Amino acid sequence: MSETTTTTTAAYGLRARAARLDAADPLAARRDLFALDDGVYLDGNSLGALPVHVPARVQDVLTRQWGELRIRSWDESGWWTAPERIGDRIAPLVGAAAGRIVVGDSTSVNVFKAVVAAARIAGEGRDEILVDATTFPTDGYIAASAARLTGHRIVPVAPADVPSALGPRTAVALLNHVDYRSGRLHDLPGLTAAVHAAGALAVWDLCHSAGALPVGLDEHGVDLAVGCTYKYLNGGPGAPAYLYVAERHQAAFDSPLPGWNSHADPFGMTPGYTPADGSVRGRVGTPDIVSMLTLEAALDVWDGVEVAAVRAKSLALTDFFLECVEAYVPAGRVTSVTPAAHAERGSQVALRCDAAEPVMRRLIERGVVGDLRRPDVLRFGFTPLYVGFADAERAARVLAEVLGEIPSPGPLA
């Protein structure tokens, strides 16, 4: 049997299996809730797709709430309470009880609040901030600025080495739940326990895990956490981020950005600052209402969805995609840097590939949209609410076609 015949037979079998898997998928109907074209969108780990009902909801915000009610909407449309109300809707998706999440500002701003506040809670005698050495660059920049502000020292460390790097001087450990390049899922329960055993606080960045897999903030005793909402939560470009503060820390949470929105009497306009109770302490200034209410509308797609079901489909999708890649792509052209073990995998597949930039460019031209991280990583994000098994099969098949057109510079090391 020729190689072409073998490949064709494999493709037929994988397409048939994809069809069966999609037919049995309990989340398949969710796809109709999103504005999608005939292509394959595998970049939801950078920007989630638009839920189809959101434009009409935003139009109401613009024309009725702002256009007609104007200033009255702070009370009559619930603008004032939106940061906490929307936080309570995100809470079940990350395993938190109501009253522990506030929405607003960017992820970077919330990282700053969380790290400085955690360092203050840790107290004197602890002057080190451990930072994931593989973290998204901004987290490192912000942590370094927080260290300068508080007189702490930054200690970059690989996540696997965190337990051995912890000590009596550690105040805070800032960690990523899922590595943005490789898709590696880090051990949140185990690392949080190790941080606590050293007497320090754990701050987690959930940008690449919230909405894709169970997090369990309350269950695992996380101290503070931050995350964005424009990836798996589909809140739209630049959607506001969120800040989680464990209930046991809320009374001691001393924000480095005390704004009038977090004042106990915001309209008292007093020169002295008295912080509000609870998660409201995480607020700063006037919230971005249009973006915030866009996010609130987008969260409707999660009604009735169990995160456990999302995780099960995520793992099945990424397993199937890797199987299709192995079947279609010539040996040596790509190498997965995403862990094979389910316990160590987020909801993306990252493939090392020489000539990654032209490969991704051609994939996008053919309707398979992923992204890359220079110099040589192709990233494919699998958002279970709208990505199906046929999408995974098609993406792998088109990847093989593109690689067949681009000469190989040699086997990957």
Side-chain angles (χ1 to χ4, degrees):
M1 184 178 293
S2 69
E3 182 177 342
T4 300
T5 302
T6 301
T7 301
T8 301
T9 302
Y12 178 80
L14 289 168
R15 286 187 209 177
R17 185 144 64 89
R20 292 195 298 271
L21 290 167
D22 281 332
D25 174 19
L27 295 176
R30 296 277 159 174
R31 184 186 183 99
D32 294 337
L33 302 179
F34 294 88
L36 297 164
D37 54 27
D38 293 333
V40 179
Y41 188 64
L42 300 181
D43 209 7
N45 54 331
S46 287
L47 177 65
L50 170 71
V52 294
H53 70 281
V54 166
R57 294 275 290 278
V58 174
Q59 188 63 43
D60 177 72
V61 173
L62 296 175
T63 58
R64 184 183 65 84
Q65 297 180 34
W66 179 18
E68 297 175 15
L69 295 178
R70 294 179 288 277
I71 198 72
R72 292 160 52 197
S73 276
W74 285 104
D75 292 321
E76 295 181 29
S77 299
W79 288 1
W80 186 259
T81 57
E84 295 77 50
R85 183 178 71 244
I86 302 171
D88 285 348
R89 293 194 65 183
I90 292 173
L93 302 179
V94 293
R100 297 176 189 178
I101 291 180
V102 64
V103 173
D105 305 310
S106 67
T107 305
S108 301
V109 172
N110 284 315
V111 167
F112 182 72
K113 295 179 205 171
V115 171
V116 173
R120 290 173 173 172
I121 292 170
E124 296 183 4
R126 293 183 174 271
D127 60 357
E128 293 183 347
I129 298 174
L130 268 59
V131 177
D132 179 351
T134 63
T135 189
F136 188 75
T138 294
D139 283 17
Y141 307 155
I142 293 293
S145 178
R148 292 193 299 272
L149 177 71
T150 59
H152 286 61
R153 183 171 71 94
I154 287 290
V155 180
V157 59
D161 297 331
V162 166
S164 60
L166 292 162
R169 296 178 62 180
T170 306
V172 186
L174 172 62
L175 303 166
N176 281 264
H177 199 189
V178 174
D179 184 283
Y180 78 101
R181 288 188 185 88
S182 68
R184 177 179 291 275
L185 173 65
H186 296 304
D187 181 9
L188 182 147
L191 290 176
T192 299
V195 171
H196 288 170
L201 281 77
V203 178
W204 284 90
D205 182 328
L206 309 178
C207 286
H208 287 270
S209 60
L213 52 91
V215 176
L217 293 178
D218 288 349
E219 177 186 357
H220 302 305
V222 168
D223 299 293
L224 297 104
V226 301
C228 66
T229 61
Y230 48 79
K231 301 183 190 296
Y232 296 109
L233 298 184
N234 311 296
Y242 56 91
L243 170 67
Y244 164 89
V245 182
E247 186 177 34
R248 66 187 179 279
H249 292 311
Q250 289 182 358
F253 181 84
D254 182 8
S255 174
L257 298 172
W260 78 284
N261 256 236
S262 61
H263 197 288
D265 182 15
F267 293 98
M269 303 299 173
T270 57
Y273 178 74
T274 302
D277 292 330
S279 65
V280 177
R281 289 187 178 203
R283 293 174 67 155
V284 183
T286 305
D288 185 341
I289 290 298
V290 175
S291 289
M292 193 165 288
L293 298 186
T294 299
L295 166 63
E296 183 174 35
L299 290 171
D300 287 353
V301 300
W302 288 95
D303 290 348
V305 175
E306 295 292 333
V307 178
V310 172
R311 177 60 168 165
K313 183 178 176 182
S314 165
L315 292 172
L317 277 170
T318 48
D319 277 344
F320 185 65
F321 176 70
L322 287 167
E323 181 182 348
C324 292
V325 168
E326 184 177 2
Y328 295 156
V329 175
R333 292 305 306 271
V334 300
T335 300
S336 176
V337 296
T338 299
H342 286 182
E344 299 176 358
R345 187 193 307 167
S347 198
Q348 72 180 51
V349 172
L351 303 175
R352 282 193 59 222
C353 174
D354 288 331
E357 292 195 47
V359 167
M360 184 53 69
R361 188 162 53 247
R362 292 199 192 184
L363 283 171
I364 292 172
E365 290 171 355
R366 299 187 187 189
V368 176
V369 179
D371 69 8
L372 60 89
R373 287 294 177 263
R374 293 198 302 264
D376 60 359
V377 174
L378 303 171
R379 293 197 321 167
F380 301 96
F382 290 83
T383 307
L385 293 189
Y386 55 78
V387 174
F389 293 89
D391 294 323
E393 186 277 334
R394 178 180 167 189
R397 182 163 32 89
V398 174
L399 173 62
E401 293 170 1
V402 167
L403 290 171
E405 299 166 1
I406 298 178
S408 172
L412 292 172

